[in-house]
Amino acid sequence: MGEGIERRRKANGALAGPVSLETPGGVVHLHWDERAAATPYGQMPFFIEFLEATGLWEKWVEECPLAYRSPNGSSKRDVLGTWLLSILSGHWRYAHIAGLRTDGVNPQLLGMQGVVSEDTVRRALSSLDEEAGTQWMRASIEHPVLPLLEAPWILDVDVTVKPLYGKQEGAVLGYNPHKPGRPSHAYHSYMMGGMRLVIGMAVEAGNQTHSTYGMPGLARLLESLPEGKRPFAVRGDCSYGADSVMGELEERGQPYLFKLRLTTNVKRYVEKLAMEGGWKDAGQKWEGQDGRLRLQGWRRERRVVLLRRRLETKEAALEESRQLALAFMAEPDMAGERYEYAVLVTGLPLDVLTLAQLYRDRGDAENPFDELKNQWGWGGYTTQDLKRCRFAAMGVALVYNWWSIFVRLVHPEARLEAITSRPLLLSAVARQTSHAGQKLIRVTPMHAEAPRAQGMLMRASQLLSSWKHGAEQLAVPSVLQRLCDYLIRLIAGSPASRRLHLLPCYV
């Protein structure tokens, strides 16, 4: 047996020697250097500096409830670092973790001894106590977002479906519009509108997509937020326009803005208001008017806003009806015009134009779902037990938040999705060398806009360095707080010491 191993070693060694290759550009001499410390993510050290300066990485590692009894067990820094690098690299399966073993630079910068195997990560998540692990992950997700809630903000609530293809716990048939009949999990999510940051989430069985299953998580989040950081309004689609949900929010004094299902009774009310006239401009070719409505089963009367938009042609009406399933087309009026209608229910004391625009802006809340499922790992990291699926979903949300804040610091003009930001700010071939006790990383950019990326990363590094030194020398807030104040000033255009308006046209 030993002789066989020796023969394979010698064979591999022979293959790893210099090779002469004939190419159209001439003869080249190629050899493998397995001892060099290199990485395909040569610009990741800037992100690691961001994690170190803000303390996010160290706090996450220190508070992790993972503990091994065996002295031969992997350290939680190695486990969490491997998980972090896998998510940040765009992986969506545990098997992809094997690709990190070639990275000889970034694991060292995170203070890791090495990259662990995919099975080690799976077993680590399995050994975590579910209650303790959930509290740890929730606190870690909320920690970098809470300082940003100094300004009025909108809490977007929604649910997305994750199709499953095995025999996972909780994989049952439920509402699945894209793959009918396919078992799934339901991801109830609570996001900071505009900034597209995840504040909380819950993974439930596939048949628990209704808002009543997402309400416990929403209630817990609202109760955990300090008085001055609660949302200006909770915004959601028609699944949240239920009496039980609105009643619970009203008991907490929390304003909301939801859409109503166009049931038979709602349509009758729409027809009644449409006959009365009195339409006001609601922006973007929409018209609206106020009303009061109490449906059967509601405990009280509530304010509703009726919106309508005239459709130009019959073809346009058909296309709109396919895209907007929550609206309906009324019969042509006396003038032969056809309208699309929608009904909002709210407790906000705002005018019709403002409410209409406020709900239209909710369309931006769909973009994080697409990004998290298709560009990050919400569409993967699947295991047979629901506990690890929940940990994986929260882990992806955590790294997504960290990267989103970092990218907004680097590129303050506008938000960049991962499909754009990761190649721009991460991809570069780098090789690490040591001389006189100092580490030197030589980076070869691989992006067409490499000079632009270098300038953005250097400016962000200088900002973090100035905040860090200021926090060490003076009695000033932490780097994370200063970073959040900077982002608030950037977005709101006002000093962070005031009650700012991230949405100045709404309040």
Side-chain angles (χ1 to χ4, degrees), residues 214-288:
M215 192 60 203
L218 175 59
R220 185 207 59 80
L221 176 63
L222 293 174
E223 292 172 358
S224 66
L225 293 175
E227 185 66 29
K229 296 187 176 182
R230 292 180 180 174
F232 170 71
V234 176
R235 182 171 57 188
D237 59 15
C238 58
S239 65
Y240 279 85
D243 180 73
S244 58
V245 175
M246 294 186 289
E248 194 164 344
L249 293 176
E250 289 163 353
E251 291 175 0
R252 288 179 166 80
Q254 175 61 59
Y256 56 84
L257 176 62
F258 301 137
K259 200 169 190 177
L260 284 182
R261 295 186 185 276
L262 294 172
T263 60
T264 301
N265 289 334
V266 174
K267 288 182 179 180
R268 290 173 180 169
Y269 184 74
V270 168
E271 293 172 357
K272 176 184 175 182
L273 286 184
M275 295 291 292
E276 295 177 356
W279 296 96
K280 304 175 183 177
D281 177 40
Q284 298 187 16
K285 299 182 179 181
W286 286 85
E287 298 174 317

Side-chain angles (χ1 to χ4, degrees), residues 414-459:
R415 191 185 182 283
L416 300 178
E417 291 192 356
I419 196 172
T420 302
S421 60
R422 281 201 302 241
L424 178 66
L425 303 177
L426 287 182
S427 297
V429 177
R431 181 172 178 175
Q432 177 179 298
T433 58
S434 299
H435 179 71
Q438 293 184 341
K439 293 181 179 180
L440 174 64
I441 300 178
R442 296 187 180 276
V443 181
T444 303
M446 305 299 293
H447 200 280
E449 299 185 13
R452 173 169 163 258
Q454 294 173 27
M456 294 189 298
L457 291 169
M458 290 299 297
R459 286 193 298 271

Side-chain angles (χ1 to χ4, degrees), residues 88-106:
L88 189 60
S89 300
H91 298 169
W92 66 92
R93 294 180 60 188
Y94 289 99
H96 297 162
I97 290 176
L100 298 174
R101 292 186 176 275
T102 59
D103 194 329
V105 177
N106 294 310

Side-chain angles (χ1 to χ4, degrees), residues 128-353:
L128 273 176
D129 177 74
E130 185 166 11
E131 182 177 355
T134 300
Q135 292 178 356
W136 161 61
M137 288 301 302
R138 282 175 177 171
S140 300
I141 291 174
E142 294 174 4
H143 174 63
V145 182
L146 285 176
L148 292 169
L149 305 183
E150 295 294 335
W153 60 285
I154 301 295
L155 174 60
D156 281 313
V157 292
D158 207 343
V159 60
T160 187
V161 174
K162 173 186 176 180
L164 298 172
Y165 298 89
K167 297 181 180 180
Q168 293 82 13
E169 180 185 1
V172 295
L173 298 179
Y175 174 72
N176 195 339
H178 297 293
K179 293 185 179 292
R182 171 61 58 185
S184 60
H185 280 165
Y187 282 37
H188 295 270
S189 306
Y190 319 104
M191 296 190 179
M192 181 181 181
M195 289 292 290
R196 297 188 189 176
L197 297 177
V198 181
I199 309 178
M201 65 165 303
V203 179
E204 304 295 344
N207 59 350
Q208 298 182 359
T209 57
H210 194 267
S211 59
T212 54
Y213 297 103
M215 192 60 203
L218 175 59
R220 185 207 59 80
L221 176 63
L222 293 174
E223 292 172 358
S224 66
L225 293 175
E227 185 66 29
K229 296 187 176 182
R230 292 180 180 174
F232 170 71
V234 176
R235 182 171 57 188
D237 59 15
C238 58
S239 65
Y240 279 85
D243 180 73
S244 58
V245 175
M246 294 186 289
E248 194 164 344
L249 293 176
E250 289 163 353
E251 291 175 0
R252 288 179 166 80
Q254 175 61 59
Y256 56 84
L257 176 62
F258 301 137
K259 200 169 190 177
L260 284 182
R261 295 186 185 276
L262 294 172
T263 60
T264 301
N265 289 334
V266 174
K267 288 182 179 180
R268 290 173 180 169
Y269 184 74
V270 168
E271 293 172 357
K272 176 184 175 182
L273 286 184
M275 295 291 292
E276 295 177 356
W279 296 96
K280 304 175 183 177
D281 177 40
Q284 298 187 16
K285 299 182 179 181
W286 286 85
E287 298 174 317
Q289 60 175 296
D290 265 316
R292 306 288 299 182
L293 177 63
R294 180 175 181 176
L295 294 175
Q296 184 177 4
W298 282 15
R299 70 189 72 178
R300 52 171 295 184
E301 187 181 62
R302 294 184 173 95
R303 180 192 181 190
V304 296
V305 175
L306 173 62
L307 301 174
R308 76 173 185 180
R309 179 175 60 178
R310 186 170 63 87
L311 299 174
E312 301 296 337
T313 63
K314 182 178 180 181
E315 290 75 14
L318 293 175
E319 182 64 24
E320 291 286 348
S321 65
R322 295 190 190 102
Q323 296 181 4
L324 302 174
L326 303 184
F328 74 97
M329 306 302 145
E331 294 296 328
D333 61 8
M334 297 298 294
E337 296 179 337
R338 187 180 295 271
Y339 290 90
E340 168 196 347
Y341 290 89
V343 181
L344 308 180
V345 57
T346 183
L348 291 169
L350 303 177
D351 60 82
V352 171
L353 174 61

